[in-house]
Amino acid sequence: MVCVVTVQRPKRYVSVLFVFCGVWSVALSVTRYSIPEEMEEGSVVANLATDLGFDVRGLSQREVKLDIIHSKKYLEINKHTGELYILEKIDREYLCPMKLEVYAPCLLKLDVILKNPLRIFNVELEITDINDNAPHFRRDRMELDISESASPGETFSLTNAVDPDVRTNSMKTYYLSENEHFSIEIQSGSDGAKYGGLVLKKGLDREEQAVHNLILTAVDGGIPARSGTASIIVRVLDTNDNAPQFDRQIYTVNITENSPIQTLVLKLNATDLDEGSNAEIEYSFTLYTSEKTQEVFSLNPNTGEIKVKGVIDFEETKMFEMHIQAKDKGSYPLSGQCKVLLFVNDVNDNYPEITIKSFQGTIKENVAMGTVLAVISISDRDSGDNGHVDLLINEHLPFALNKSSEGYFTLVVSETLDRETVSEYDITFKVTDRGTPPLYDNETLVLQLLDVNDNAPLFPKSFYTIHVMENNAPGSLLSSVTAFDPDLHENQYLVYFIVEKEICNISISMLFSINPEDGNLYALKTFDYEREKEFLFHIEARDSGAPPLSSDVTVHIIIIDQNDNTPVIVSPWRAQGSVLEEVIPRSTDKGYLISKVIAIDADSVQNSRITYQFLQITDATLFSLDQYNGEIRTMRMFSYRDPRHHRLVIVAKDNGDPELSATVTIKLSTVEHVIKVFSETTEFPLEYDIFSDLNLYLLIGLGSVSFLLLITILVIIVLKCQKPKPAKPTPPCRNSVISQRNSTIADSTLVSSDAYWYSLFLAETRKGKVVVRQPVPKGAGYMVSSLPRSTGLTETSESTASTLQVGN
């Protein structure tokens, strides 16, 4: 579809031509306008917004740009009205100098580029000629020597007039001043130029008139017409009746462009039948040969050799025309003329050109496939295969080239992009022609990918196990739980927090805290292994993208036991700070069980293993102490030399580092007879036994027994009256010995996981007997219960004892 709009202006007009109004891809079809040259600056050519169909209100935001190809910036676009106006006067003769080729319109090629979204409109502006130049001769004075023997009808070449205007405004005809001997003959050259030849109408008589003064007028075809004049002076010479003749009137030669200097093009040959100086020939270019041709080729005046002396460029001139005359050296020289036509053969001497019309240097990594990144135009000044150009990009890139129109390509996204894999692409465009050898050029563009939040934070491990020693300081650093996010900027900034949950009705956030910036995990309280042994919760890392992405990790806190509990001696029981007194008969045998020391430790495993040692002993040969079960036995029988009173200090030490210990002091008194003795440890209490072994010292024995009985009664009374010190309250849910300690350890159950307490024991207290029972099921611990003194140890009494069981 073709649309033409003509706008009348004073003495001028503007033609608007739309060619192929449809749009194909990014580059639009060509829109052509036609204006005369020399329009005033500021003159409006057309309204591009109206003609091309885009909204004027969005021009400032869309960054409209006018790109003039291979020329100065003669025009500009008004970004407020969309009008295309003249920025600088356009001289058609300067912009499109006249060449030898057939007339072609003078076109100014423009690209109108709009962004957001990207659109390109191809505009051609045809500059039409006006008659602003008058014809002028290259020589204002022409002198001709014509022999009087010249025959009527002979033609003499004259300097032609040139007019830089074209077509109807160019050179049209010549007029010769009135005379009876000469007339003007007008000829047209291959480039349309008008040449005038002086024709002899009537024979000359030098004796009648030796000089003829003529005026030659050149007139163009403009309205109004313009003209120029030159004077012709004809001198009549004496007879030289034979003129040189060329063997051919027209020579046709093919020459390759860029031929080296001094390359022989053609050797002319002209002959003259005269003799002497009238037969000596000199070659020269006539005035019909253009100055451009004479700059490129040289003519030897003596030999007639035509050689290359300048650069031959096919893209500038495809054909040269030479007019050559051969003139003899007679007194009245005669000349002959010929025409040489040189056709230039193209070689691949121009590199292909690549022009980036538009390019987005940065895009988001999640851009849709098919998005246009750049618009590229390619060209080559050569012709044929030498001017056929192919465009390629480097391989293994997620981009593709699509041809949008002749000489235009678009670069589009062809695969999914990932900034975390490749953050920057170097895209090299390579243009290659099809000449032999081919020529190529390239240009590299750098494309950067902008990050989007498409990666969730990633922890290096899915499960963290953190060991914490009990009795830690509140606020101590436990570990650093950090994640990694390959995104950038705010998409990479991570915030850490603990996923809220409750443990034993206590919020996890009251036990632990995490630094939201670096993932450092802190303990908010001091942990006690005897109360809590492990915690299991989740930590979540969340980035700052929009929308944010997150991931979590499981954290397992394991509390490590520390030797922080001192062993407690529960048997034989004695008031704090007091000394335990025991009475044994001196007649005991070897291996007699004097007492059994039992200590418990609230710690676990190695820290709760108790060993017993004598700290002080009056006679190391008399008593032995089992380091594992705490049994004190006699190593031999008493002799009369042994003292009656012994002091034993036993220390119970745990297996921790550093080790903790407790001591008990036992004072042993030996008597001949005792009222009460203990058998070896059993689950049943021993009944009182009265020894009646009468001997010769019966009176002494009865007295001693009475005395010891009195002492025993006094000691019991004193112990009854003594008020025990209150014990510290035991924390709730603590895996330790629970005792009110108001008067005794009665009505309490002592639990320990130590295997050394597997045996049974019985110890006397002020209120009853202490019994260590068998281990509870599955090794959960051992129970120590108290019984009243008056109650016998039976199955029934065992069930009535107060018992507290705490599992490991």
Side-chain angles (χ1 to χ4, degrees), residues 661-727:
S661 63
T663 61
V664 61
T665 302
I666 302 176
K667 287 184 177 181
L668 294 179
S669 299
T670 59
V671 294
E672 296 298 332
H673 300 282
V674 294
I675 299 175
K676 178 191 69 171
V677 296
F678 291 104
S679 65
E680 295 188 2
T681 304
T682 62
E683 188 176 1
F684 300 96
L686 294 178
E687 299 296 335
Y688 293 112
D689 187 14
I690 299 176
F691 294 89
S692 60
D693 188 10
L694 297 178
N695 51 33
L696 294 178
Y697 304 98
L698 178 60
L699 293 177
I700 296 173
L702 291 174
S704 299
V705 170
S706 300
F707 177 75
L708 290 175
L709 181 60
L710 180 61
I711 294 298
T712 302
I713 293 172
L714 291 176
V715 170
I716 292 174
I717 293 173
V718 172
L719 292 177
K720 289 284 186 178
C721 296
Q722 185 179 4
K723 184 179 180 180
K725 295 182 181 180

Side-chain angles (χ1 to χ4, degrees), residues 81 100 104 127 178 337 352 357 382 390 477 500 507 515 648 658 799 801:
T81 63
L100 294 177
I127 310 302
E178 293 184 0
Q337 297 182 359
K357 295 296 184 180
D382 292 323
D390 297 316
L477 176 64
E500 190 61 42
S507 175
N515 189 318
L648 305 179
S799 63

Side-chain angles (χ1 to χ4, degrees), residues 453-525:
N453 192 23
D454 57 347
N455 290 279
L458 180 64
F459 287 94
K461 296 187 293 184
S462 61
F463 192 90
Y464 282 84
T465 300
I466 302 173
H467 294 83
V468 180
M469 186 70 70
E470 67 170 329
N471 302 316
N472 59 292
S476 59
L477 176 64
L478 303 183
S479 180
S480 181
V481 183
T482 57
F484 170 73
D485 195 321
D487 294 323
L488 290 179
H489 307 307
E490 67 275 0
N491 298 329
Q492 188 186 38
Y493 299 148
L494 302 183
V495 178
Y496 301 90
F497 58 90
I498 298 175
V499 179
E500 190 61 42
K501 65 178 291 188
E502 289 188 357
I503 300 177
C504 293
N505 297 325
I506 300 177
S507 175
I508 195 69
S509 60
M510 299 180 64
L511 302 177
F512 304 94
S513 70
I514 190 167
N515 189 318
E517 295 181 356
D518 56 19
N520 287 340
L521 184 64
Y522 298 91
L524 297 181
K525 59 165 287 186

Side-chain angles (χ1 to χ4, degrees), residues 588-646:
T588 57
D589 294 330
K590 177 182 177 182
Y592 176 78
L593 177 62
I594 298 174
S595 181
K596 184 169 185 174
V597 179
I598 297 177
I600 61 173
D601 195 318
D603 292 321
S604 300
V605 196
Q606 296 296 329
N607 294 328
S608 65
R609 294 185 182 275
I610 307 297
T611 57
Y612 305 91
Q613 293 178 358
F614 280 124
L615 188 61
Q616 293 182 11
I617 186 171
T618 55
D619 190 347
T621 64
L622 185 56
F623 304 102
S624 67
L625 174 64
D626 192 302
Q627 64 174 341
Y628 298 113
N629 60 23
E631 293 180 351
I632 304 173
R633 295 179 180 270
T634 58
M635 298 177 63
R636 61 180 175 82
M637 295 183 64
F638 288 94
S639 67
Y640 67 94
R641 293 187 183 90
D642 295 325
R644 292 185 175 275
H645 301 285
H646 298 272

